[in-house]
């Protein structure tokens, strides 16, 4: 109910505004009383439909009808003209909506859309229907049909161009909240534009001056309006100039009044007004667009700076040669050097000598891969000479416009590292301390078993063996983490090692006679023992397991295959992670640490080899290892 009431009220209001504007427009009529120099209602109608909705069209119909009927038109003529006016606005609405026109006029593109599809094309509808109505009813003779049509069309077009943007940009007008200076400027603009327009277009100030074709003098005022007050300013000043020039023309003065032929003068004046208005609005929109994009650019730069400068992490930008081109403020806190001390120096100067070669290699690899990111841990030397550990992430943005550098984010992880070291040292100490009591238990159990074998003693014995193996694993993991895993290569026969490990295991062996290599036998054992033990452990029942060892292209190739429970697909990517155990083993095989494969991977990496696997749940798993034959 309330909506309906609001709707009716809107229609009545629009009809009222349309009526008043039409009356004002008709007062500017020239020659034929229904055909006017400028027809503001067109602009008002289009703006109203764009701002509210097309459903307000009855307001246009009523307003136009009453405006015409009160100009002594017959009912039929008034209705037909009103229908023409309504269709004109609806056509404009349809085209502009289809073209996704932005009524804020922020882009030049929108002004162009409006001029063509909101002002030039739809007004053909009204001009044609209107002029035909006048000709058929005998109000005008057919001999003036084309000139009446042209005036009507130009009048509507100018009305649309002058008034619609004015109304649509109305809410952008900030004349009052302006500073005093701006207000003063606005008043000065209006005063000087009015004075100049009156001088040029009317005989009011100087009857002789207005005869000369000096209309271009108003251009600077339009530019001023566009520069200082944007689209709203440009439209207001255009309107001011138009009104003054029309009044001058009607009074028979100005550069167009004395051309001998009033019709030509009228058309030229209408064209001039349209050109003035279009030019100044386009200029204003172009400036607006630029200002806005500059603003956006500034905004994003400010945001970027704020992010970098307040970031706890330090950021350094280096070029392809490693020369520092930028350092964020946090760099001073972490390294002790100021930006000025670091910029234009070589970034490698900061790196500890132990890490220089490794990092130079990483940088060389990174440079050739645009967009790639690498993560490293390395030591640096601070300004005061202190050595600290950093964790750094470098991204190659050399090709990125506006960056053109390798961006390195880093943070100090020395405390973290120290804590890790303390933890590892503790584990190492505890494991070593546990070793001797366990050896004692093992030794005594072994002796007892020899004299008095029993089931319980056997259990104790196998538990001590497990514990010894666990302690050894812990110690090796510790060594890996402290970077202390020793490597003592010697001439070995891999086949002998495999045979030794699988002595008491039921496993199918496909081995060559001999496979000699130059490697650390202890590390080879870690790999083989873990893979074979897993294959046995995770193949319950008497399922077949096999080991395949051969030499392929100067490389040792090992395959350990089982037909056991397999590894779930969705967890396969985590299988080499420390302490990881898949869901399908946790309940059924509670014995396990999740350290075996982590260790195997670390050892394979140390030996510069490769490890991968294929696995399917409940079907089985195969681990593959490739190692260089000669590992130095
Ligand atoms: P765990 O002590 O649990 O055996 P590992 O590091 O040796 O630790 O293995 C990690 C996890 O990988 C295991 O818990 C298991 O889920 C899975 N896994 C390893 N080898 C196999 C295999 N041959 N068959 C099935 N699952 C396996």
């Amino acid at each position: 109910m309330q909506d309906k009431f609001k709707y009716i009220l809107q229609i009545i209001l629009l009809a009222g505004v349309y009526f008043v504007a039409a009356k004002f427009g008709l007062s500017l009529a020239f020659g034929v009383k229904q055909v006017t120099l400028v027809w503001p209602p067109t602009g008002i109608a289009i703006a109203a439909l764009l701002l509210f909705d097309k459903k307000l069209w009855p307001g246009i119909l009523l307003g136009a009808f009453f405006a015409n009927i009160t100009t002594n038109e017959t009912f039929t003529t008034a209705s037909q003209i009103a229908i023409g006016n309504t269709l004109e606005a609806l056509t404009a609405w349809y085209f502009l909506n289809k073209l996704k026109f932005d009524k804020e006029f922020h882009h030049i593109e929108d002004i162009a859309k409006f001029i063509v599809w909101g002002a030039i094309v739809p007004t053909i509808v009204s001009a044609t229907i209107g002029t035909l109505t006048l000709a058929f009813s005998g109000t005008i003779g057919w001999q003036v049909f084309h000139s009446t049509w042209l005036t009507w069309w130009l009048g509507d077009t100018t009305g649309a161009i002058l008034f619609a943007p004015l109304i649509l940009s109305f809410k952008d007008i900030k004349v009052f909240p302006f500073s005093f200076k701006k207000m003063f400027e606005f008043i000065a603009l209006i005063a000087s534009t009015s004075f100049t327009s009156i001088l040029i277009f009317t005989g009011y100030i100087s009857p002789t001056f207005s005869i000369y074709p000096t209309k271009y003098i108003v251009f600077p005022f339009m530019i001023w309006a566009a520069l200082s007050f944007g689209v709203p300013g440009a439209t207001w000043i255009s309107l001011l100039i138009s009104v003054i020039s029309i009044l001058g023309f009607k009074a028979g003065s100005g550069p167009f009044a004395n051309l001998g032929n009033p019709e030509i003068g009228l058309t030229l004046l209408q064209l001039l007004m349209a050109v003035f208005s279009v030019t100044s609005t386009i200029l204003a929109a172009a400036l607006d667009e630029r200002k806005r994009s500059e603003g956006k650019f500034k905004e994003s730069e400010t945001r970027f700076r704020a992010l970098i400068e307040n970031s706890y992490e330090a950021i350094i930008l280096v070029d392809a040669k490693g020369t520092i081109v930028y350092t964020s403020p946090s760099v001073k806190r972490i390294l002790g050097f100021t930006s000025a001390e670091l910029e234009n120096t070589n970034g490698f100067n900061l790196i500890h000598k132990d890490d220089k070669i490794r990092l130079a290699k990483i940088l060389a690899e990174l440079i050739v891969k645009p967009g790639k990111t690498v993560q490293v841990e390395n030591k640096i030397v601070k300004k005061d000479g202190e050595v600290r550990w950093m964790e750094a992430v470098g991204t190659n943005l050399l090709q990125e416009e506006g960056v053109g550098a390798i961006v390195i984010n880093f943070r100090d992880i020395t405390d973290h590292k120290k804590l890790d070291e303390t933890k590892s040292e503790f584990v190492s100490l505890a494991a070593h301390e546990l070793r001797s009591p366990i050896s004692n238990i093992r030794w005594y159990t072994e002796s007892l078993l020899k004299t008095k074998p029993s089931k319980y003693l056997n259990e104790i014995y196998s538990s001590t063996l497990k514990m010894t193996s666990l302690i050894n694993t812990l110690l090796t993991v510790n060594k890996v983490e402290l970077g202390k895993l020793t490597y003592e290569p010697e001439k070995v026969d891999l086949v002998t090692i495999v045979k030794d490990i699988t002595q008491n295991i039921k496993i199918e062996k496909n081995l060559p006679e001999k496979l000699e290599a130059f490697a650390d036998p202890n590390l080879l054992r870690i790999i083989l023992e873990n893979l074979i033990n897993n294959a046995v452990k995770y193949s319950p029942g008497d399922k077949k397991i096999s080991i395949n060892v051969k030499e392929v292209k100067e490389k040792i190739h090992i395959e350990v295959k089982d037909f056991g429970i397999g590894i779930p697909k969705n967890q396969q990517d985590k299988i080499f992670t420390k302490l990881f155990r898949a869901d399908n083993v946790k309940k059924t095989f509670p014995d396990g640490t999740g350290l075996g494969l982590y260790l195997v991977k670390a050892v394979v990496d140390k030996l510069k080899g490769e490890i991968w696997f294929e696995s399917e749940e409940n079907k089985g798993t195969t681990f593959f290892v490739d190692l260089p034959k000669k590992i130095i």
Side-chain angles (χ1 to χ4, degrees):
M1 193 62 207
Q2 223 183 8
D3 280 356
K4 205 161 194 173
F5 178 71
K6 200 174 142 199
Y7 174 57
I8 293 173
L9 199 71
Q10 279 178 334
I11 287 182
I12 296 173
L13 265 176
L14 177 58
V17 173
Y18 194 98
F19 180 82
V20 174
K23 281 287 165 202
F24 168 68
L26 288 170
S27 75
L28 302 176
F30 190 86
V32 183
K33 68 179 183 306
Q34 297 85 347
V35 186
T36 97
L37 271 166
V38 70
W39 185 242
T42 298
I44 294 171
I46 296 173
L49 296 195
L50 287 173
L51 282 175
F52 300 100
D53 187 58
K54 64 170 186 314
K55 66 173 197 262
L56 286 196
W57 65 266
I60 304 170
L61 192 73
L62 287 174
F65 175 76
F66 283 112
N68 280 294
I69 201 97
T70 49
T71 329
N72 292 330
E73 292 303 340
T74 64
F75 181 82
T76 326
T77 312
S79 317
Q80 282 170 352
I81 294 177
I83 289 173
N85 287 340
T86 313
L87 285 177
E88 170 186 85
L90 282 171
T91 319
W93 179 89
Y94 172 80
F95 283 137
L96 294 176
N97 249 354
K98 257 245 133 86
L99 292 170
K100 303 210 163 32
F101 156 79
D102 169 16
K103 51 182 181 287
E104 310 276 316
F105 283 106
H106 281 326
H107 304 279
I108 306 177
E109 191 189 310
D110 293 309
I111 293 187
K113 277 184 199 163
F114 179 78
I115 290 166
V116 177
W117 299 104
I120 295 178
V121 177
T123 44
I124 295 172
V125 177
S126 169
T128 311
I129 296 180
T131 322
L132 280 176
T133 307
L134 293 182
F136 277 119
S137 67
T139 315
I140 58 162
W142 284 98
Q143 76 283 3
V144 292
F145 179 84
H146 74 277
S147 60
T148 313
W149 186 92
L150 189 66
T151 315
W152 190 310
W153 176 65
L154 276 173
D156 276 17
T157 308
T158 325
I161 292 174
L162 277 177
F163 285 89
L166 189 84
I167 297 167
L168 293 173
S169 62
F170 206 74
K171 67 176 183 359
D172 275 358
I173 297 186
K174 298 185 197 96
V175 175
F176 297 107
F178 275 170
S179 59
F180 262 124
K181 210 175 127 207
K182 266 282 188 219
M183 201 116 92
F184 181 73
E185 186 186 347
F186 192 64
I187 293 167
L189 173 65
I190 298 219
S192 52
T193 313
S194 308
F195 177 80
T196 316
S197 304
I198 293 170
L199 180 71
I200 298 168
F201 294 109
T202 74
Y204 198 67
I205 298 174
S206 155
T208 44
F209 192 80
S210 68
I211 301 167
Y212 302 111
T214 48
K215 59 246 174 209
Y216 55 84
I217 296 180
V218 292
F219 262 118
F221 296 100
M222 296 195 140
I223 294 171
W224 177 6
L227 283 176
S228 283
F229 302 97
V231 175
T235 51
W236 279 98
I237 290 299
S238 299
L239 179 69
L240 180 67
I241 298 171
S242 301
V243 169
I244 295 173
S245 63
I246 290 168
L247 292 176
F249 185 78
K250 276 204 67 156
S253 43
F256 298 102
N258 304 308
L259 293 177
N261 183 342
E263 261 170 38
I264 292 183
L266 171 66
T267 315
L268 287 178
L269 175 59
Q270 282 178 312
L271 272 176
L272 182 76
M273 284 186 297
V275 170
F276 271 176
S277 166
V278 167
T279 316
S280 57
T281 323
I282 287 183
L283 178 67
L287 289 168
D288 236 40
E289 209 171 312
R290 214 179 81 185
K291 250 189 235 159
R292 244 173 309 115
S293 66
E294 268 171 11
K296 264 191 204 146
F297 181 73
K298 258 216 167 91
E299 212 175 86
S300 75
E301 196 189 319
T302 316
R303 207 176 311 144
F304 169 75
R305 282 210 169 269
L307 260 174
I308 284 204
E309 297 189 351
N310 296 308
S311 160
Y312 191 73
E313 281 196 13
I315 297 164
I316 284 187
L317 267 59
V318 298
D319 65 13
K321 286 185 198 131
T323 309
I324 298 174
V325 290
Y326 171 82
T327 64
S328 72
S330 290
V331 172
K332 167 105 176 46
R333 174 177 51 80
I334 294 179
L335 303 180
F337 291 103
T338 63
S339 296
E341 285 168 325
L342 289 178
E343 278 165 23
N344 293 322
T345 65
N346 192 316
F348 282 98
N349 295 344
L350 295 167
I351 310 291
H352 188 270
K353 62 178 181 350
D354 290 356
D355 292 326
K356 272 192 186 160
I357 297 175
R358 181 171 63 95
L359 288 194
K361 263 193 207 158
I362 293 175
L363 182 71
E365 278 170 21
L366 185 65
I367 281 170
V368 291
K369 291 185 186 140
K372 199 180 160 189
T373 295
V374 287
Q375 187 171 357
V376 283
E377 279 183 14
N378 64 282
K379 286 179 278 180
I380 55 94
V381 187
K382 281 177 63 169
K383 188 176 179 182
D384 58 11
E386 191 190 348
V387 175
R388 308 278 299 178
W389 272 97
M390 298 291 145
E391 182 184 70
V393 177
T395 309
N396 178 350
L397 297 182
L398 285 164
Q399 316 276 343
E400 202 82 355
E401 213 178 307
V403 187
I406 291 182
V407 179
I408 304 164
N409 291 39
F410 60 97
R411 64 195 175 100
D412 191 323
I413 53 160
T414 314
D415 295 341
H416 190 74
K417 275 259 172 205
K418 274 194 185 138
L419 202 70
D420 263 4
E421 256 170 53
T422 321
K423 253 196 293 181
S424 297
E425 272 159 17
F426 169 74
V427 171
S428 161
L429 192 81
H432 273 116
E433 290 300 312
L434 281 171
R435 251 183 169 177
S436 53
I438 285 176
S439 309
N440 280 347
I441 298 174
R442 199 172 109 190
W443 191 78
Y444 284 116
T445 337
E446 244 169 23
S447 315
L448 275 174
L449 267 174
K450 274 181 200 150
T451 50
K452 226 186 185 179
S454 98
K455 196 177 138 209
Y456 298 116
L457 268 181
N458 243 331
E459 279 294 312
I460 294 174
Y461 184 66
S462 81
S463 292
T464 49
L465 287 184
K466 265 190 207 158
M467 231 188 282
T468 315
S469 141
L470 183 63
I471 287 171
N472 286 339
T473 309
L474 276 178
L475 282 171
T476 325
V477 167
N478 231 354
K479 277 187 197 156
V480 166
E481 293 189 338
L482 291 172
K484 289 182 182 159
L485 190 65
T486 49
Y487 177 61
E488 287 155 10
E490 57 185 75
K491 219 171 159 190
V492 289
D493 175 20
L494 195 70
V495 175
T496 318
I497 300 178
V498 173
K499 281 183 180 161
D500 184 41
I501 295 173
T502 55
Q503 260 182 60
N504 303 316
I505 297 175
K506 205 177 141 204
I507 183 168
E508 186 184 299
K509 287 173 260 191
N510 301 306
L511 310 169
E513 277 287 296
K514 228 177 185 201
L515 211 173
E516 280 190 339
F518 188 71
D520 185 330
N522 289 329
L523 298 190
L524 291 177
R525 269 179 176 276
I526 291 179
I527 299 172
L528 290 163
E529 272 173 4
N530 275 292
L531 294 183
I532 294 169
N533 284 345
N534 278 348
V536 174
K537 187 158 61 170
Y538 299 120
S539 306
D542 214 10
K543 294 207 181 92
K544 183 180 125 182
I545 60 169
S546 63
I547 179 161
N548 212 334
V549 178
K550 56 185 171 189
E551 189 185 324
V552 181
K553 291 184 195 157
E554 284 294 292
K555 273 187 185 160
I556 301 166
H557 180 75
I558 305 168
E559 279 179 32
V560 179
K561 190 177 180 74
D562 69 56
F563 295 89
I565 60 164
I567 303 164
K569 275 263 168 313
N570 62 351
Q571 299 186 333
Q572 293 190 350
D573 56 335
K574 303 194 196 80
I575 220 72
F576 296 110
T577 317
K578 187 167 145 189
L579 302 176
F580 181 79
R581 306 198 71 219
D583 289 341
N584 62 339
V585 305
K586 279 185 190 155
K587 270 198 195 129
T588 343
F589 307 92
D591 278 7
T593 55
L595 287 172
L597 287 182
Y598 168 73
L599 201 57
V600 170
K601 172 87 173 91
V603 172
V604 171
D605 285 349
K606 174 111 185 155
L607 301 181
K608 299 192 175 64
E610 266 181 85
I611 179 164
W612 70 102
F613 64 91
E614 282 168 7
S615 182
E616 206 172 323
E617 235 183 320
N618 298 321
K619 291 236 166 94
T621 308
T622 310
F623 274 90
F624 305 88
V625 180
D626 267 354
L627 295 172
K629 255 187 92 182
K630 193 169 179 183
I631 312 158
I632 308 165

